[in-house]
Amino acid sequence: ERLGLPGVSIAPIASTPVVPVGTNLLLGTPITFAEVSDTPSYRPLAPPATLDAPDSIWSLNRGGYQQVSYVWQRVDGLATPDSDLPSLLISQFQGTLNSGLMGKLLAPGTSVSALEINGQLAFWIEGAPHVLFYEDARGEFSEDTVRMAQNVLLWQSNDRIVRLEGALNREQAEHIAEAMTRNVAP
C-alpha cells in the first residue's frame, strides 16, 4: 500500500536462497555426491583428491546418456576472470575422442596439442572459444560448446570423455587430470 502498487506486497526474509554454483552453465539438475554413481550408465571418475570437494555436482541427460559435472567456485591457485564463473568445471560423459576431428574444426586463434594422461589420449585446447566434436555413446558424431570460454583439457578415460575447463594452464590441468584418473566414484 505504501508503494501504491495494488496486489504487490513486500515481506522481509531471514536469508536469501542459496543458488548452486554452476546454475548459469546449463549443466542439468543439481545432485548430491551420493547420487553420482546412481545417475549415469557408467561409473564416473571421482573428483580429484588433490582438491577440496566440489561446491556443486550436476547431472544432465543428453539424448539418452548422462553427463556428470563437478563445479568449484574458487580453487586456490586458479584465477577466476569473471566473478560469475567458477574457477573449475569438470564434466564427464560417455563417448570417444576422435583425433581426426580435433585439429580440423577449431576456430582461428585456438590451438590444440595432443598428449597423454596416464596413458590415455588427451588434448589441450587454448585460445578462442571453440566447439567440441566427439563420437557419443551411440556412435554418432555430436558437438558440445565450452561452458566458460576458457582453456580446456579433454581426455579419454575408458568409455568416457572428461572435460576439465577453467582459468588454468596446461601444467595445472595435467596435474588435476592425473590425480582424477586414479579415482572412480563410489
Side-chain angles (χ1 to χ4, degrees):
E1 291 176 5
R2 293 169 96 183
L3 296 174
L5 299 172
V8 175
S9 62
I10 299 174
I13 57 173
S15 64
T16 57
V18 176
V19 177
V21 175
T23 298
N24 58 345
L25 297 178
L26 305 174
L27 298 172
T29 305
I31 60 173
T32 66
F33 192 70
E35 296 170 303
V36 169
S37 60
D38 295 336
T39 302
S41 57
Y42 63 96
R43 299 266 327 252
L45 297 174
T50 55
L51 299 177
D52 291 334
D55 294 306
S56 62
I57 303 171
W58 299 80
S59 176
L60 176 65
N61 184 328
R62 302 190 60 177
Y65 64 92
Q66 292 299 117
Q67 174 178 294
V68 172
S69 298
Y70 303 127
V71 182
W72 288 264
Q73 183 63 38
R74 299 287 174 261
V75 174
D76 289 341
L78 296 185
T80 304
D82 182 335
S83 62
D84 292 336
L85 292 177
S87 286
L88 183 63
L89 167 65
I90 300 176
S91 298
Q92 50 192 310
F93 47 90
Q94 285 180 287
T96 305
L97 290 174
N98 184 318
S99 59
L101 289 176
M102 290 308 294
K104 297 178 181 175
L105 299 171
L106 297 175
T110 302
S111 65
V112 62
S113 303
L115 59 138
E116 286 187 3
I117 299 295
N118 292 336
Q120 300 283 328
L121 177 64
F123 295 98
W124 172 248
I125 305 168
E126 61 184 329
H130 56 276
V131 175
L132 162 65
F133 289 88
Y134 62 95
E135 193 174 334
D136 67 22
R138 298 179 306 260
E140 298 175 12
F141 286 103
S142 296
E143 67 178 66
D144 193 19
T145 59
V146 295
R147 300 283 193 259
M148 303 187 321
Q150 296 184 18
N151 295 336
V152 173
L153 177 64
L154 294 168
W155 75 94
Q156 188 75 46
S157 181
N158 298 323
D159 62 345
R160 75 185 66 82
I161 296 172
V162 184
R163 180 179 63 199
L164 187 152
E165 187 174 352
L168 65 172
N169 62 41
R170 180 175 165 169
E171 182 179 315
Q172 292 168 316
E174 286 182 73
H175 177 73
I176 292 169
E178 288 168 356
M180 190 171 175
T181 56
R182 294 188 277 275
N183 300 320
V184 175

